[in-house]
Amino acid sequence: MSHLNRKVSNVDVLVLGGGAAGFAAALAARRNGCSVTLIESQNCIGGSRTATGVDTFYGFYTPGDSPRRIVGGIPWEVANRLVEVNGCFERPNTYGAGTGITYDVEKLKVIYESMLIEAGVTLLYHTYASVVEMEDGTIKGVAIANKGGLTTIYAKYYIDATGDGDIAARAGAPFELGSPEELQSLTTIFFMANVDVDKAKMTSHKALAKLMKEANQSGQYNLPREDGSWHATPNPGVIQTNMVRVTGVDATDPFALTMAEIEGRKQTQEYVRFLNNCVPGYENAFLVSTSQHIGVRETRRIRGAYTLTEEDVVQGAKFDDAIACCGAPVEDHYAGSGTRWAYVQGDGVYHIPFRSLVPQKVSNLLVAGRCLSATHGAQASARNSAQCMAMGQAVGTASALACKTNSNISELDIFQLKNLLLEQGVIL
């Protein structure tokens, strides 16, 4: 029997993209009674949290001297599972963005998979969505491509958790995409081992930036970003480093993305050479690995029923259709050598509204993650991992509610959805 064009028609919810948002979306939809298939282009669940090497969850806590946990539900369940396997620890952010939960990437991969498999979610790795079949503003099916060839999956509801809004764009939903010069920069995360961590900590963040500037001025190094950070991991002598900066890239352009991957690895070698030669504690350190794929902070932002703005973020806006809380500051990695920060005022918390996850012009599609309906500045806050998982839980639960009531997304009772989320431990 040929596997080409094989049709699967008995899926309630199809989740496209298995990053932090897609994971939570698939799990929530399944736990609420739907049959769910989750497809992912990489070989693991977690996206930027695993394959990209970003080994810290941010967004669980508000910044400042009196941090408050503002995210619960599935995201907090993940954090607790990491604690159970001695796979994480809490630490302050280098720039004052609040407490982060740094974890062992390999342990998180297994936890994500275990939770999905325990719930009965069908997983497909090494799989891309290629064509979206539309009819009168409704997605009828999505053709996927993998080692089995081309397969069309038919579902009642679809969740775009691709990060880039690929499915929403192919379905005809309107979106915003800035010029390459306007988009946030890309970063190749890298890990080093045999670092004398205690000795390395003696060089402050300010002193490290000064050393970078001096290295560039000497003419012996080419460090595009005279900033960046590193931190210890749960593994002795191993550190994670966020210094690489690749700018002017539209990561929805496969040719530009390919060149960005090449440039990111090239920069990594230069930063490793700098650390080895110029920073105490790195004298005998060596590069262990670079991220499975380059980290992308921003591409398409869909136009939803509501667009979250930077003013909403900074002013701590509250909404009746809130599905998640966020206290993370705007963290805009613009094309220059620095990063722009803007903090939430008032009580330090704003709401992410459900309407920002509902694309225009497509009746059975929801989005979750960094492609939400938000301005450039607002997205630079809402894209944190705890919020992406919270968005995923919200849209997964919403899809299940729509399945039970056989209704369009726009017809959902938002208060019924919020009550369901509260019952599942979500903090609103």
Side-chain angles (χ1 to χ4, degrees), residues 70-91:
I70 55 173
V71 175
I74 288 173
W76 192 240
E77 184 180 341
V78 172
N80 284 327
R81 290 222 184 186
L82 283 163
V83 171
E84 290 171 2
V85 296
N86 195 30
C88 68
F89 61 86
E90 294 187 350
R91 65 175 181 84

Side-chain angles (χ1 to χ4, degrees), residues 9 28 68 72 92 195 247 292 313 395:
S9 58
R68 311 188 314 276
V195 177
T247 62
Q292 194 166 305
V313 171
V395 297

Side-chain angles (χ1 to χ4, degrees), residues 16-17 21-22 159-169 173-177 252 296-304 306-308 352 355-360 365-375 378-380 382-384 388 391 395:
L16 301 116
I159 295 173
D160 185 338
T162 61
D164 299 315
D166 291 335
I167 307 309
F175 60 86
E176 300 285 345
L177 178 63
T252 66
V296 180
R297 294 181 173 90
E298 179 189 16
T299 50
R300 300 185 188 95
R301 292 171 278 109
I302 66 107
R303 290 181 188 165
Y306 181 81
T307 299
L308 188 71
I352 297 175
R355 289 167 294 161
S356 291
L357 309 180
V358 182
Q360 297 176 14
L365 174 68
L366 287 164
V367 304
R370 63 178 172 81
C371 59
L372 82 159
S373 179
T375 63
Q379 189 266 7
R383 63 181 175 82
N384 276 272
C388 285
M391 285 186 255
V395 297

Side-chain angles (χ1 to χ4, degrees), residues 208-223:
L208 179 62
K210 182 181 179 183
L211 287 173
M212 289 178 171
K213 183 178 291 291
E214 291 172 351
N216 275 336
Q217 291 173 345
S218 74
Q220 299 179 39
Y221 296 89
N222 181 16
L223 307 175

Side-chain angles (χ1 to χ4, degrees), residues 82-160:
L82 283 163
V83 171
E84 290 171 2
V85 296
N86 195 30
C88 68
F89 61 86
E90 294 187 350
R91 65 175 181 84
N93 175 266
T94 303
Y95 300 92
T99 301
I101 301 174
T102 294
Y103 50 80
D104 184 307
V105 169
E106 296 304 320
K107 288 183 177 178
L108 180 61
K109 289 179 183 178
V110 174
I111 286 171
Y112 272 156
E113 288 173 335
S114 298
M115 292 175 72
L116 291 170
I117 292 169
E118 288 166 9
V121 173
T122 299
L123 291 177
L124 269 178
Y125 287 149
H126 304 294
T127 300
Y128 282 88
S130 55
V131 178
V132 178
E133 297 179 11
M134 296 295 297
E135 183 178 301
D136 298 325
T138 300
I139 300 178
K140 304 303 294 183
V142 173
I144 61 172
N146 54 27
K147 290 291 186 179
L150 296 176
T151 304
T152 302
I153 299 182
Y154 295 97
K156 297 176 183 176
Y157 300 92
Y158 299 81
I159 295 173
D160 185 338

